[in-house]
Amino acid sequence: MGDPISVTTVAEGVARIQWQGEPSVDELRREVAAALGDHQRVETLVGTEDRAAQRTATWAGLLKEGVSRGVTVDGEVADRVVYARVREDRPVDHPEGFRSLLNSFLPRKRAISQMLVRDEDGRVLLCQLTYKRDWDLPGGVVEVGESPRLAVQREVEEELGLEIEPGGLVLTDWLPPWSGWDDAVCLVFDGGTHPTSVLAGVVMQEREIRDVRFCTLDEVDELAADFTARRVRAAVEGSQPYTESGR
């Protein structure tokens, strides 16, 4: 006989399943299926350090949804990992259902796309951003399901009003966790060489861009964060396709 399993209704159409120890996975799956007969959603809240319970929730077919911070469970306030199934989820033994289960807990990496645009003197186009003091290459975060190449083209058009077709990938730079940010991968695409008169066509997105100009590498060192300056130099030199924080 497995460890005790309890199912309680915590909101309209929502059941919460809990267990002690390591229950039989088959029994837990049956309890989840039974609860979905009466509820639209079945969820469980698991401690962020409780790896055994996280594995059990996954084996039971519950998809990882994220971390709920500062919740109270059994009188204790702590962060909890949320796992759940809804009635419309594909069965785990279905290929799509199994892929969805894997996709819910496997690591995901933030991607940033930037564009290296230069003038005829080799200076680099930099943007002064409204939300931080440092200058940076034009570009931004890649949306979910979006191509990095299309993302940088979209960002440059949205932020600067410039329609520039991205060329080849000139640098992949890994950014380690920093100051509250998770790690990320930055992809720098070649934006080609343009006359300085291209600045006349810039229409800055006011809530994000304060200024834009072509800069020498010495000016990049002065205006940009150190890791950004390293990335720009690595992209300009083109001698290495991959760096970590510009190194």
Side-chain angles (χ1 to χ4, degrees), residues 86-107:
V86 297
R87 196 176 289 165
E88 291 77 15
D89 285 338
R90 291 271 194 161
V92 178
D93 58 3
H94 186 282
E96 184 177 331
F98 182 65
R99 287 193 293 268
S100 295
L101 181 66
L102 291 177
N103 189 62
S104 76
F105 69 84
L106 288 175

Side-chain angles (χ1 to χ4, degrees), residues 64-83:
K64 183 179 180 181
E65 294 185 339
V67 177
S68 186
R69 298 183 302 148
V71 296
T72 301
V73 179
D74 297 330
E76 179 186 358
V77 178
D79 296 347
R80 292 288 186 268
V81 186
V82 182
Y83 291 82

Side-chain angles (χ1 to χ4, degrees), residues 1-191:
M1 190 72 176
D3 290 299
I5 300 170
S6 65
V7 178
T8 55
T9 300
V10 294
E12 184 176 354
V14 180
R16 183 168 297 163
I17 189 165
Q18 295 175 285
W19 60 87
Q20 300 294 325
E22 297 188 18
S24 160
V25 172
D26 289 339
E27 185 180 358
L28 192 55
R29 284 184 178 178
R30 286 194 295 270
E31 292 287 351
V32 169
L36 284 173
D38 300 321
H39 302 80
Q40 172 63 26
R41 169 185 171 89
V42 178
E43 66 180 27
T44 191
L45 306 180
V46 178
T48 56
E49 303 300 323
D50 192 344
R51 305 302 183 199
Q54 292 173 28
R55 288 193 298 271
T56 298
T58 300
W59 292 334
L62 299 168
L63 279 67
K64 183 179 180 181
E65 294 185 339
V67 177
S68 186
R69 298 183 302 148
V71 296
T72 301
V73 179
D74 297 330
E76 179 186 358
V77 178
D79 296 347
R80 292 288 186 268
V81 186
V82 182
Y83 291 82
R85 282 193 74 81
V86 297
R87 196 176 289 165
E88 291 77 15
D89 285 338
R90 291 271 194 161
V92 178
D93 58 3
H94 186 282
E96 184 177 331
F98 182 65
R99 287 193 293 268
S100 295
L101 181 66
L102 291 177
N103 189 62
S104 76
F105 69 84
L106 288 175
R108 301 182 184 186
K109 189 82 68 181
R110 180 178 292 116
I112 299 167
S113 280
Q114 295 186 326
M115 189 177 287
L116 181 67
V117 180
R118 286 171 279 191
D119 70 2
E120 294 161 326
D121 295 323
R123 296 181 300 174
V124 176
L125 188 70
L126 285 191
C127 299
Q128 184 182 26
L129 306 173
T130 60
Y131 50 87
K132 64 180 183 178
R133 297 175 60 184
D134 306 320
W135 292 58
D136 208 341
L137 293 171
V141 175
V142 181
E143 301 291 342
V144 176
E146 183 180 36
S147 150
R149 189 172 182 276
L150 291 179
V152 74
Q153 185 174 10
R154 170 185 57 76
E155 287 281 353
V156 169
E157 185 172 354
E158 289 177 356
E159 294 182 349
L160 302 178
L162 297 177
E163 296 184 8
I164 299 178
E165 183 82 15
L169 183 67
V170 295
L171 182 69
T172 299
D173 186 33
W174 177 71
L175 309 179
W178 175 79
S179 189
W181 287 102
D182 290 338
D183 71 320
V185 172
C186 183
L187 306 172
V188 183
F189 290 87
D190 185 11

